[in-house]
Amino acid sequence: MTVSAQELPGTARAHDLPYEFGALVAGRAVRGDGGWVYSVRAGAVVEDPLGAIAYKRSLDQGVMAPGDAPEAVLGRCALSGPKDMEQALRGAGEAAAAWAAVPLERRLAFAERFRAEIKRHARQLTELLVGEGHPVRLAASEVSNILAFFGPETTQWCARQMHTEAQLEQRRVTLLRRPDGVVCVQPPQNTPLVSVAAALQAVMAGNCLVVRLSRQAPLAAMYLLQRVAAPVLASLGAPAGVLSALCADPSATLAAWLDSPLVDDVFYFGDSTRGLRMQADCLARGKKPVLELAGNDVVVVWKDADLDRSVQALAESFYAAGQICCAPNLVIAHPDTADALLQQITRIAQETRPGYPEDPQTVLAPSASSAGYDHALADARRHGAQVLTGGRHLDVDGHESDTGIFLEPAVVRVDGFATARRLRSVREETFFPLLTVIVPDAGNDRLLEEVLDFVAANPYGLRCSLWSSDAHVTDRFLNRITGYGQLRVNDSHLVSGPYLSNHGGTGLSGGAFGEANYPMLRTSHLQAVSVGENICPQRLLTEDFEREVGLAHVTPARRPPARASHAHPDGWPPPDLPGDLPAPFTPRFQQDPHPTLRWYRDNQPVCEILTPDGPGWLLTRYDDVRQAHRDKRVSCDSKRTPAGILWGSEWPEEMRRRLFTHLLDSDDPRHGELRRLMAPLFTPARQAQWHDRITEIVNERIDAMASRGHADLMAEVAYPLGAHVLFSVLGAPVPDLAQLRSLIWRLVDWNTAVPYFRALTYQADAMMSDVLRDKRRRPGEDLLSLLVRACDDEHLISEDELQGMFLLMLVAGQDPSINSVGNSMHTLLTHPEHADLLRCEPDLLGTAVDELLRCNSPLTFTSWRGTLEPVEFSGVTVPANESLILSLGSANRDERQFTDPDRLDFRRSPNHHLAYGHGIHYCLGAQIGRLTAETAIMTLLRRLPDLRLAEPARFRPGQFERGLEALRVTWDPHKAQPR
């Protein structure tokens, strides 16, 4: 019943993928009629989230191949369409009667054989789960839970419910449970393997299964169904249609199931809102809904609890970034033990760090719920709760990053049930690593009953735990709490075991027919109870797995990170200069380029150097840089520049033709025509109109952080400000800022050692195409509308130039402004006497901003230029067809132009700096850039009067721009000023 995709007729394998699956349709592996969906290794995503995800999208779209970054690809699964689903349902319908007629004893043999095969395939299953993002410890736990669920205890108990006989005086009574027929299963989007495996228990009842797998993570589940379950069914003589598994569109699949007369049950995993709507749709169509929805699990820790063990169980809240529906969400801590419990669980939360999924110490996974996490913590603070730890977005090394894909485990304390009921993290499921600890009011002789009333009122009903050694408390808990699918007393909240279901609950967790879920049964209302003695939750996590398989045996090796598009040229990096000065473009140079640039100005003002894109001629003196901006023998066209040609070769050919047609990549006369076309939106008067909007954005950002006392000014002021102003000018909605910024930085780095570079270009192209498509439907009075009209109606520019100009604006329209704000604030914070001068003499703002731009230019270098014929600079002739790199940062500190150039002088006049370029390529948006910097600087200095650096700042890597990675600052919240 199982054939991998490489064995499919007509399937050509261009690359040797680790795993490749067709759809399993009524016992046959078929290619599918919808292309492929690729899985990129979770380790690659952790290493480089933006690049790896862009690469996956490019693979799914067919514009890139697995061979472009084979170390990043885990495998692929065929996508199925309506035709494949129709065949799967027909096959299940045809097999249903024959399979139901097979004796129960033979069907029950599936459990033992399946369990044996799980052990045999444990390494591959664990490797796939880890590859899809499950930390290896939790992947082992999933396999362990499958072993427990299909153990003889659970199987035999369910079998007794399936067939019961009683001999009476006059008759023999037999109670039977008959299969429903065709059961369609939709596991969760993140596809925990135990959810897919548990659904297979329905086969033992005599049902036929059609499983739709998520396009997000289908490989481990498809392996389980095709390589493990299907052969076991075949060994039992099951008809071909008993099991089908397809990776398909969820909406179309659910619609097909509801419409098909062949479908009897729909086994649905999802959130409560969609699930309850699915329940109503099923009932309206005469189908049985079996729902596994949200969880908001409660743990009660009484005053006599074993504190160490209970805290170990509570730590399960952080496993897999809290994205396990039956992990603890809420804790009710007895007032007598609350402080000690909070101290311990806070320490554990702080010690729970991100890591690669292959690392056996890792339990925290990347999270897709960052917005919900941020909102829940903000809501908790707003209602007076204490956030004891957490709140940051982290990278894999545990460093704070607004593009980090890990969420720092959070612990929130809230006092009193009245306040707790108002918190979002109490009322709603928290699908992220956040544990809310409720401390009831002390001195209440009805405390136990109030706690039980609160627990019983939870609209979710998945699992509930109690930690107590008091028999009276335990008895009251077990007798009073009846609305949950499962209760645990002094036991791990998460780990399964014999007789215990993996899923099942009531209310918002399971719908109107919810209960402890044994898919063989699912009719009468059941409840499973586990009372443990001397249980160690941490040990239980992988105990069965280690005993029967061995964790060390299955721990996958860490895969190498994705390769860069190509290596630097031979000889890179070049040796240091005399005096241990770093060579240009090296990481050490980026932190402080000025000593190196001063050496070049004094010793070799025009010289050939090695760059990451090959050799080029560096110009460092003011007059030479200014001349190169105006000389017609110098071209800006990257297609005529050796270094530009080398860098451009990394772009896909079709995009290079389309996108490198913009203002900065053109020479006259076309450059002048494009500039005149855009000029009406960049007059000084038009740009000055943005003052109020810029002021409002800056104030909004300060309002959001003023009471906190600390912030990263880059992430919280400079980046949002630059992006919001740019997209207001463009007339387009602001996208995810962290993703946009990271994407643009990677594309314009001009340092060709960028992993997934081509994938990122496709992502940028798709984003721009979507925006332009919408702009054509809904034009306005903005820059993109002007360009669209110039293309479509006036035929002044081509479609390629339209998209190229859009790309130019994404790059040149925000980064110089962002860097101007960041670099200027960094200069002021490292020269506090000048910040005080501006506060005292705000009329100096205009000349001060010019001086700040001169001293710390947002662009150290211009983009590549090229010589069309020999050109002389400072007595040195640069031959034709050579690459030129102009140092704006050096020109702005040339002592031949500026007196005492390394000194910050807010009264310097004249100040003809080149921070925004010169001549025909002088920045069109310079006025907006200046206005943005002026407004941000003065508003920050006025509203946060004691603003100061929290830690030394670092400049991010970049070949041309000079901008900060972060600018972390502190201030006294009590001194913050209103607008």
Side-chain angles (χ1 to χ4, degrees):
M1 294 183 65
T2 177
V3 184
S4 62
Q6 59 263 36
E7 300 170 76
L8 294 172
T11 299
R13 298 196 63 196
H15 304 283
D16 187 19
L17 294 174
Y19 294 97
E20 187 176 79
F21 295 99
L24 180 64
V25 179
R28 294 184 305 108
V30 300
R31 166 67 183 271
D33 53 11
W36 297 96
V37 61
Y38 284 81
S39 293
V40 172
R41 294 185 184 279
V45 176
V46 167
E47 185 86 35
D48 185 351
L50 182 68
I53 292 170
Y55 180 46
K56 172 182 161 47
R57 289 174 181 155
S58 298
L59 289 170
D60 291 345
Q61 294 163 5
V63 297
M64 294 187 73
D68 291 327
E71 62 283 337
V73 182
L74 181 64
R76 67 180 184 177
C77 191
L79 276 173
S80 296
K83 181 180 177 182
D84 294 329
M85 183 59 67
E86 181 183 350
Q87 291 176 352
L89 293 175
R90 188 183 308 117
E94 292 171 353
W99 181 238
V102 170
L104 176 61
E105 291 75 13
R106 196 163 111 209
R107 298 198 307 263
L108 292 173
F110 174 85
E112 183 178 356
R113 297 188 189 186
F114 179 64
R115 196 169 185 271
E117 287 299 297
I118 289 290
K119 293 180 185 179
R120 195 166 70 85
H121 290 267
R123 183 186 63 78
Q124 293 91 339
L125 290 168
T126 305
E127 180 183 76
L128 279 165
L129 287 169
V130 171
E132 291 182 324
H134 303 233
V136 65
R137 286 180 62 193
L138 303 185
S141 178
E142 287 188 60
V143 178
S144 180
N145 283 349
I146 296 171
L147 293 173
F149 188 66
F150 283 90
E153 300 90 349
T154 305
T155 300
Q156 291 167 13
W157 182 84
C158 289
R160 290 195 294 272
Q161 319 308 308
M162 294 294 295
H163 187 126
T164 304
E165 294 186 0
Q167 186 67 50
L168 304 179
E169 289 183 0
Q170 293 180 322
R171 63 178 64 87
R172 185 168 63 90
V173 176
T174 302
L175 302 177
L176 297 175
R177 296 177 73 102
R178 300 288 190 184
D180 289 337
V182 176
V183 178
C184 292
V185 184
Q186 176 164 296
Q189 280 291 95
N190 58 348
T191 323
L193 202 63
V194 69
S195 300
V196 180
L200 287 166
Q201 202 196 44
V203 171
M204 295 158 62
N207 294 297
C208 296
L209 291 189
V210 176
V211 185
R212 186 209 76 88
L213 296 177
S214 163
R215 293 172 295 183
Q216 178 178 315
L219 290 182
M222 191 63 87
Y223 185 101
L224 177 81
L225 296 173
Q226 288 201 30
R227 303 276 181 88
V228 182
V232 171
L233 286 169
S235 73
L236 294 171
V242 169
L243 179 62
S244 291
L246 306 91
C247 186
D249 177 79
S251 298
T253 297
L254 289 173
W257 291 351
L258 290 171
D259 289 342
S260 174
L262 298 171
V263 175
D264 296 289
D265 296 357
V266 176
F267 194 169
Y268 175 85
F269 293 75
D271 68 75
S272 296
T273 301
R274 291 189 183 91
L276 296 179
R277 189 160 54 240
M278 169 62 63
Q279 175 177 269
D281 290 341
C282 285
L283 295 175
R285 309 291 184 91
K287 304 180 190 305
K288 180 195 292 183
V290 181
L291 304 181
E292 290 291 349
L293 308 178
N296 196 20
D297 287 7
V298 185
V299 179
V300 177
V301 182
W302 205 244
K303 60 183 177 181
D304 58 350
D306 183 324
L307 195 59
D308 291 339
R309 294 178 188 275
S310 63
V311 169
Q312 287 180 30
L314 296 181
E316 294 167 355
S317 174
F318 309 132
Y319 293 170
Q323 297 184 57
I324 301 174
C325 61
C326 50
N329 294 81
L330 309 175
V331 182
I332 302 175
H334 192 284
D336 291 355
T337 195
D339 290 341
L341 180 146
L342 282 162
Q343 184 178 11
Q344 287 196 36
I345 194 62
T346 299
R347 176 181 55 78
I348 289 176
Q350 292 168 343
E351 292 172 353
T352 303
R353 311 304 294 162
Y356 289 91
E358 299 88 350
D359 184 350
Q361 301 305 312
T362 297
V363 296
L364 192 65
S367 176
S369 307
S370 59
Y373 172 84
D374 295 338
H375 292 156
L377 290 175
D379 175 78
R381 292 188 179 98
R382 188 164 54 250
H383 287 97
Q386 297 174 262
V387 179
L388 302 181
T389 190
R392 299 183 302 164
H393 297 200
L394 306 174
D395 62 20
V396 69
D397 297 315
H399 300 144
E400 184 173 2
S401 169
D402 61 336
T403 58
I405 59 174
F406 293 90
L407 301 178
E408 184 179 34
V411 177
V412 172
R413 172 178 178 150
V414 55
D415 290 282
F417 288 129
T419 303
R421 290 186 180 96
R422 295 198 292 268
L423 265 59
R424 177 181 296 185
S425 62
V426 173
R427 292 183 286 106
E428 302 172 7
E429 180 183 38
T430 54
F431 215 52
F432 31 81
L434 190 160
L435 187 66
T436 302
V437 181
I438 304 167
V439 183
D441 297 331
N444 186 344
D445 55 5
R446 291 196 69 258
L447 181 57
L448 177 59
E449 296 308 314
E450 288 188 3
V451 168
L452 297 178
D453 288 345
F454 185 90
V455 172
N458 185 4
Y460 300 83
L462 196 55
R463 293 186 185 179
C464 184
S465 286
L466 169 70
W467 285 84
S468 174
S469 59
D470 188 325
H472 170 69
V473 173
T474 301
D475 288 344
R476 285 294 300 136
F477 175 78
L478 297 179
N479 290 325
R480 176 73 174 85
I481 307 303
T482 59
Y484 290 77
Q486 201 172 127
L487 302 181
R488 303 284 183 106
V489 178
N490 299 333
D491 195 359
S492 162
H493 190 87
L494 188 58
V495 178
S496 188
Y499 298 107
L500 297 176
S501 62
N502 282 290
H503 302 93
T506 63
L508 295 179
S509 292
F513 308 101
E515 61 179 19
N517 188 357
Y518 301 84
M520 286 176 67
L521 311 178
R522 208 60 159 107
T523 50
S524 57
H525 186 80
L526 301 173
Q527 186 174 75
V529 175
S530 173
V531 178
E533 295 181 6
N534 297 319
I535 292 298
C536 179
Q538 290 284 353
R539 179 60 186 164
L540 276 177
L541 181 65
T542 58
E543 189 173 71
D544 287 348
F545 188 90
E546 289 184 8
R547 182 176 62 251
E548 302 204 39
V549 178
L551 180 60
H553 176 65
V554 300
T555 301
R558 167 83 188 283
R559 301 281 176 168
R563 302 186 310 272
S565 51
H566 70 255
H568 287 127
D570 292 339
W572 181 263
D576 290 341
L577 302 178
D580 194 36
L581 293 174
F585 310 113
T586 58
R588 196 157 62 92
F589 170 85
Q590 188 68 2
Q591 300 311 309
D592 185 7
H594 298 296
T596 293
L597 295 174
R598 185 185 309 115
W599 185 90
Y600 276 108
R601 286 196 305 272
D602 293 343
N603 296 280
Q604 297 181 24
V606 182
C607 68
E608 191 171 16
I609 64 170
L610 185 64
T611 81
D613 290 326
W617 291 79
L618 175 64
L619 308 183
T620 52
R621 288 184 178 173
Y622 184 93
D623 289 342
D624 292 334
V625 171
R626 196 168 182 270
Q627 175 193 337
H629 272 84
R630 304 179 68 93
D631 199 310
K632 294 183 179 180
R633 296 169 295 175
V634 175
S635 173
C636 287
D637 188 344
S638 65
K639 297 177 287 297
R640 307 169 75 180
T641 307
I645 292 170
L646 175 64
W647 177 76
S649 66
E650 289 303 303
W651 288 71
E653 174 63 28
E654 71 277 10
M655 276 195 280
R656 186 165 66 251
R657 288 196 312 269
R658 284 193 290 111
L659 298 180
F660 291 91
T661 54
H662 52 70
L663 200 64
L664 290 186
D665 208 53
S666 304
D667 298 323
D668 277 342
R670 190 54 177 160
H671 169 269
E673 295 168 351
L674 293 173
R675 190 178 180 93
R676 286 190 292 275
L677 176 66
M678 298 175 67
L681 278 174
F682 290 95
T683 63
R686 184 72 179 263
Q687 296 182 72
Q689 295 173 3
W690 290 99
H691 178 268
D692 291 345
R693 176 62 179 145
I694 295 170
T695 303
E696 178 64 21
I697 295 170
V698 175
N699 276 310
E700 286 175 355
R701 305 307 301 180
I702 296 176
D703 289 344
M705 66 186 192
S707 62
R708 195 188 318 145
H710 62 88
D712 172 7
L713 290 186
M714 297 304 293
E716 301 203 43
V717 178
Y719 301 147
L721 180 59
H724 278 84
V725 171
L726 168 66
F727 280 86
S728 295
V729 172
L730 291 174
V734 181
D736 182 288
L737 295 185
Q739 293 294 320
L740 172 71
R741 185 173 65 258
S742 186
L743 173 65
I744 296 302
W745 281 355
R746 297 274 287 279
L747 290 181
V748 302
D749 190 9
W750 291 58
N751 180 333
T752 52
V754 176
Y756 307 107
F757 185 84
R758 290 183 62 221
L760 297 171
T761 68
Y762 287 118
Q763 181 171 333
D765 187 52
M767 180 192 74
M768 292 190 298
S769 296
D770 288 344
V771 172
L772 290 173
R773 192 179 304 113
D774 183 70
K775 182 56 61 178
R776 283 181 161 116
R777 290 195 299 264
R778 293 179 289 184
E781 297 301 319
D782 49 66
L783 180 57
L784 283 183
S785 297
L786 181 152
L787 293 173
V788 167
R789 285 193 294 270
C791 175
D792 296 353
D793 301 337
E794 301 163 6
H795 306 295
L796 297 176
I797 60 174
S798 66
E799 183 70 25
D800 291 352
E801 288 175 319
L802 169 62
Q803 295 208 25
M805 296 290 272
F806 190 179
L807 177 65
L808 167 66
M809 291 304 299
L810 287 178
V811 178
Q814 60 175 330
D815 276 12
S817 291
I818 290 169
N819 294 340
S820 295
V821 172
N823 293 358
S824 296
M825 287 305 303
H826 179 253
T827 301
L828 288 168
L829 293 173
T830 52
H831 296 76
E833 69 283 1
H834 284 77
D836 291 339
L837 176 63
L838 263 186
R839 290 188 181 100
C840 294
E841 299 186 45
D843 290 345
L844 286 176
L845 181 61
T847 56
V849 168
D850 274 327
E851 182 70 348
L852 291 166
L853 290 170
R854 182 192 70 80
C855 280
N856 270 313
S857 304
L859 295 171
T860 304
F861 304 104
T862 64
S863 56
W864 285 110
R865 264 59 168 181
T867 53
L868 302 179
E869 53 186 275
V871 186
E872 181 178 316
F873 300 101
S874 290
V876 177
T877 299
V878 177
N881 300 316
E882 294 285 332
S883 300
L884 284 179
I885 184 165
L886 320 181
S887 178
L888 301 176
S890 178
N892 284 338
R893 293 206 183 191
D894 187 350
E895 59 275 11
R896 296 156 191 80
Q897 174 67 22
F898 302 100
T899 303
D900 198 2
D902 294 328
R903 181 172 63 88
L904 195 63
D905 180 3
F906 283 178
R907 292 184 169 87
R908 186 182 297 275
S909 181
N911 188 350
H912 302 302
H913 64 79
L914 303 179
Y916 288 121
H918 178 69
I920 63 172
H921 284 286
Y922 184 77
C923 177
L924 265 176
Q927 179 63 20
I928 290 182
R930 286 183 55 87
L931 186 60
T932 301
E934 290 174 0
T935 306
I937 290 167
M938 285 309 298
T939 308
L940 283 164
L941 292 180
R942 179 183 64 81
R943 293 196 57 189
L944 304 175
D946 66 333
L947 193 66
R948 55 196 180 275
L949 280 176
E951 60 184 51
R954 283 189 60 79
F955 288 85
R956 61 183 175 83
Q959 192 165 335
F960 291 88
E961 298 180 12
R962 188 162 189 258
L964 292 161
E965 287 182 339
L967 184 57
R968 303 194 192 283
V969 296
T970 61
W971 62 89
D972 184 347
H974 298 99
K975 295 181 180 179
Q977 300 298 305
R979 295 193 184 199

